[in-house]
Amino acid sequence: MLKDKLNYPEILKQIEQDIQNDFGKGKLADYIPALANINPNQFAIHITTTLGEEYSVGNVDTLFSIQSISKVYTFTLALKQLNDDIWQRVGKEPSGNRFNSLVQLEYENGIPRNPFINAGAIVISDIIFDGLGKTKNKVLQFVRGLSPNQTISFDEEVADSEREFGHRNRAMANLMKSFGNLKNDTNDVLDVYFHQCSIQMTVKDLSRSLIYLANGGKSLSNQEIINYRQAKRINALMLTCGLYDAVGDFAYRVGLPAKSGVGGGIVAIIPNKLVISVWSPELNQAGNSYIGTKALELFTTYASNSIF
Ligand code: GLN
């Protein structure tokens, strides 16, 4: 009924109604207490268009832990730094395994499949590493500048828990170090990784900050964040690797390049049009927001707009 009318406020209101019966179907991330104890009944969407229009619904001003969505920012920084040389350290194929799997790393000689699984993101943190304390603040400054919102910060409680319970990530980092694919001290690199995962922001900050991916690499004020080719590549990687081992199902249902995090956030891009960010903390089995995925599926259906 809404299909032919591109009325974003109406579409978002409809989605909010449609997802009401889906609370309780997913499960909160429980690997750290800080995520296991949040109120599961939360939901927000925010859209930023390349024309600078904004639309939202739900808990738009609530901060949430962006977790693996941070991999988009660090990958952007690494691509700026190394360009195509980056592919000597990390692959660009979907892994077909969980985001924190160790299995491929051993028989693929410590080269992670892509920058969006944990092992790949740890290598990316190593690539952009230029000093203890300095690198994590560089990432934070980058994110703050993109949003732009100087109040975006780390959640130190989450960062501490990531460190305390980060045994698998530490195992990956050590394995990659043994293959020579980690140049800096393992603990220093993990400190960057754990902090980037702990960045907290609102859906509003999130969709604003990544508008350059819908805008050929440029911010809304026409500043070049990355070039067109690099923006194309990041979108391609998001499409093929952004949702881990559920990437096929997500492409089938939603049809957009996207990146998720176990905090329940998902951000998706419609090139040349808009960035849409969703947050709802309960996750499906692959570790992606249950309601977030459904909301994005409804969005591309109601708006009749995907990349396909
Ligand atoms: N901090 C989480 C981890 O390293 C991030 C994973 C995710 O969001 N998929 O396991």
Side-chain angles (χ1 to χ4, degrees):
M1 150 194 51
L2 289 164
K3 264 188 182 167
D4 305 322
K5 273 174 49 187
L6 222 54
N7 180 336
Y8 289 129
E10 201 178 316
I11 289 175
L12 295 186
K13 244 173 56 205
Q14 182 68 47
I15 294 172
E16 191 183 32
Q17 275 177 32
D18 292 353
I19 56 90
Q20 289 305 319
N21 291 331
D22 291 305
F23 288 107
K25 292 189 180 165
K27 210 171 145 279
L28 288 174
D30 56 6
Y31 71 100
I32 53 171
L35 292 182
N37 294 330
I38 63 173
N39 171 7
N41 297 324
Q42 302 189 78
F43 168 75
I45 299 187
H46 190 264
I47 292 173
T48 302
T49 75
T50 52
L51 300 173
E53 302 145 341
E54 300 194 293
Y55 306 94
S56 56
V57 75
N59 309 98
V60 272
D61 294 314
T62 308
L63 297 172
F64 67 95
S65 187
I66 65 166
Q67 292 291 331
S68 282
I69 298 173
S70 65
K71 294 168 182 170
V72 180
Y73 303 117
T74 53
F75 179 45
T76 300
L77 287 170
L79 208 53
K80 273 162 86 83
Q81 187 179 311
L82 279 191
N83 238 320
D84 282 347
D85 288 343
I86 204 171
W87 308 119
Q88 292 168 13
R89 306 272 309 271
V90 62
K92 45 175 138 55
E93 296 294 344
S95 72
N97 286 307
R98 273 191 80 70
F99 59 85
N100 58 3
S101 170
L102 276 145
V103 291
Q104 274 163 348
L105 265 187
E106 168 78 22
Y107 58 81
E108 295 184 356
N109 302 320
I111 309 286
R113 272 292 172 99
N114 67 67
F116 292 149
I117 50 174
N118 287 12
I122 292 168
V123 167
I124 297 293
S125 303
D126 184 58
I127 289 171
I128 61 171
F129 191 88
D130 64 3
L132 193 56
K134 209 169 140 205
T135 314
K136 62 186 176 202
N137 287 318
K138 192 167 85 181
V139 174
L140 187 60
Q141 287 312 327
F142 182 57
V143 175
R144 285 178 172 171
L146 290 173
S147 296
N149 178 356
Q150 290 305 314
T151 70
I152 292 175
S153 61
F154 299 121
D155 181 334
E156 289 296 345
E157 186 197 338
V158 171
D160 285 350
S161 292
E162 296 286 345
R163 186 179 312 110
E164 188 180 344
F165 298 98
H167 312 297
R168 293 186 73 86
N169 290 324
R170 202 162 290 118
M172 281 171 221
N174 281 317
L175 191 55
M176 293 190 289
K177 184 87 179 170
S178 79
F179 281 107
N181 196 21
L182 220 61
K183 310 290 176 213
N184 297 284
D185 179 81
T186 307
N187 286 324
D188 293 350
V189 174
L190 284 171
D191 186 57
V192 176
Y193 176 74
F194 293 145
H195 273 87
Q196 71 182 64
C197 286
S198 83
I199 293 175
Q200 48 179 351
M201 62 172 72
T202 66
V203 281
K204 215 184 267 181
D205 298 321
L206 180 56
S207 77
R208 286 175 181 169
S209 70
L210 291 176
I211 194 71
Y212 65 94
L213 293 177
N215 202 31
K218 294 190 174 140
S219 71
L220 286 183
S221 55
N222 226 23
Q223 185 201 348
E224 185 173 289
I225 311 297
I226 44 173
N227 62 39
Y228 173 81
R229 192 160 143 256
Q230 292 166 327
K232 180 184 76 179
R233 298 198 152 158
I234 297 173
N235 275 294
L237 263 287
M238 288 169 77
L239 183 71
T240 53
C241 311
L243 279 282
Y244 316 119
D245 45 331
V247 78
D249 180 64
F250 188 88
Y252 177 83
R253 289 172 56 191
V254 179
L256 294 177
K259 184 74 204 81
S260 62
V262 288
I266 307 178
V267 62
I269 315 292
I270 304 187
N272 303 315
K273 211 163 225 133
L274 58 83
V275 178
I276 175 166
S277 54
V278 197
W279 170 61
S280 191
E282 291 177 323
L283 308 178
N284 63 22
Q285 288 192 333
N288 302 316
S289 173
Y290 183 94
I291 288 181
T293 305
K294 174 154 179 191
L296 288 170
E297 180 178 11
L298 290 169
F299 178 76
T300 52
T301 305
Y302 290 154
S304 287
N305 211 330
S306 80
I307 62 163
F308 298 113

